[in-house]
Every structure is written in structure tokens, then in C-alpha cells.
Amino acid sequence: MRKKRLILLGIIFSSAIIILFTSIKIYQEEQTVVQSMAVSFDENYKVEELLETLYKELEKNYGDLVLSFSPDERILTVKVKNQEFIAKNQIQIKKQINEIAKKMDMKDIKVELKTGL
């Protein structure tokens, strides 16, 4: 009888340890997801702020344009009037974008200028 109690106690204790470790693992995974969401939220906020700032500055200097950002490739696309406009202003626009992005701590952004307004 005593042997059965020890075996039963061992099974209960082992089960409790397995449940405890499983709970810890689940908690750690939840924390990873929460941290990832926070980073993603911060990044999205930075991108929105960057686009708003860039739009105000570029529109003031160059007129009509459209901005878009691809977060996966980190490409900022600027759509403008025509190819002539790109040839004339490309260097200044890219320089201005890179300066503003650097001030806002947005690194590794590639800039593309396209026609199609």
C-alpha cells in the first residue's frame, strides 16, 4: 500500500512539474508576442510621423506628390508629376528625405521616385 502511495505521489508531483513548466513556457511566449506588438506599434507610429513630416516639407518645396512606405523592404516611394520633375529634383528630394529620416531615427530607408500622379 505504501508503494502505491509513493508511486501515486510521484505521478502527481511529476504532473505538477510538467504543468508548471508548460505554464512558464506559455507565459514566456505571451511576453514575446506582447513585446513584438509593442515594437510593431512603435515602428508604425514612427512611419506615420515620418510620412506626415515628409509630406508637409516636400509639398511645401515641390508641390503635388504622393508618399507610400513598404515596411518589409523599407522603401519610401515618392510619386511625382513626370520624369522631367524627377530628373530635375531627385538629388534634393532624396537628400531632404534622408535628413528628416535620420532626425527621426528611421534607419535603412531606400527612396524611390516614380511618376504617376
Side-chain angles (χ1 to χ4, degrees):
M1 188 71 164
R2 183 177 171 149
K3 225 179 192 182
K4 287 183 182 180
R5 284 186 187 166
L6 287 176
I7 291 174
L8 185 59
L9 220 96
I11 292 173
I12 292 171
F13 185 68
S14 300
S15 298
I17 289 175
I18 291 171
I19 291 171
L20 177 67
F21 281 121
T22 304
S23 297
I24 290 171
K25 181 78 172 156
I26 290 171
Y27 176 78
Q28 288 172 339
E29 289 175 5
E30 286 176 350
Q31 291 304 312
T32 302
V33 169
V34 168
Q35 288 173 347
S36 175
M37 289 173 61
V39 167
S40 180
F41 178 77
D42 289 344
E43 182 72 14
N44 287 342
Y45 179 77
K46 277 185 172 182
V47 168
E48 286 180 27
E49 189 176 359
L50 175 68
L51 290 175
E52 287 176 17
T53 303
L54 284 174
Y55 185 78
K56 288 175 187 174
E57 289 297 314
L58 295 175
E59 184 186 41
K60 182 171 43 175
N61 295 330
Y62 303 105
D64 272 350
L65 51 89
V66 175
L67 298 175
S68 62
F69 185 75
S70 171
D72 296 331
E73 295 88 22
R74 299 192 61 78
I75 297 174
L76 176 70
T77 304
V78 182
K79 288 188 180 179
V80 294
K81 301 172 193 167
N82 54 43
Q83 193 63 37
E84 182 181 315
F85 181 86
I86 291 174
K88 183 179 174 186
N89 299 301
Q90 180 174 7
I91 294 171
Q92 296 92 334
I93 290 173
K94 285 186 175 184
K95 183 178 177 184
Q96 191 171 8
I97 289 171
N98 287 326
E99 286 174 2
I100 292 171
K102 187 177 179 181
K103 286 179 188 175
M104 298 180 80
D105 199 29
M106 294 288 291
K107 299 175 184 173
D108 304 324
I109 293 179
K110 299 172 194 114
V111 178
E112 289 184 353
L113 276 81
K114 295 183 177 182
T115 59
L117 273 182

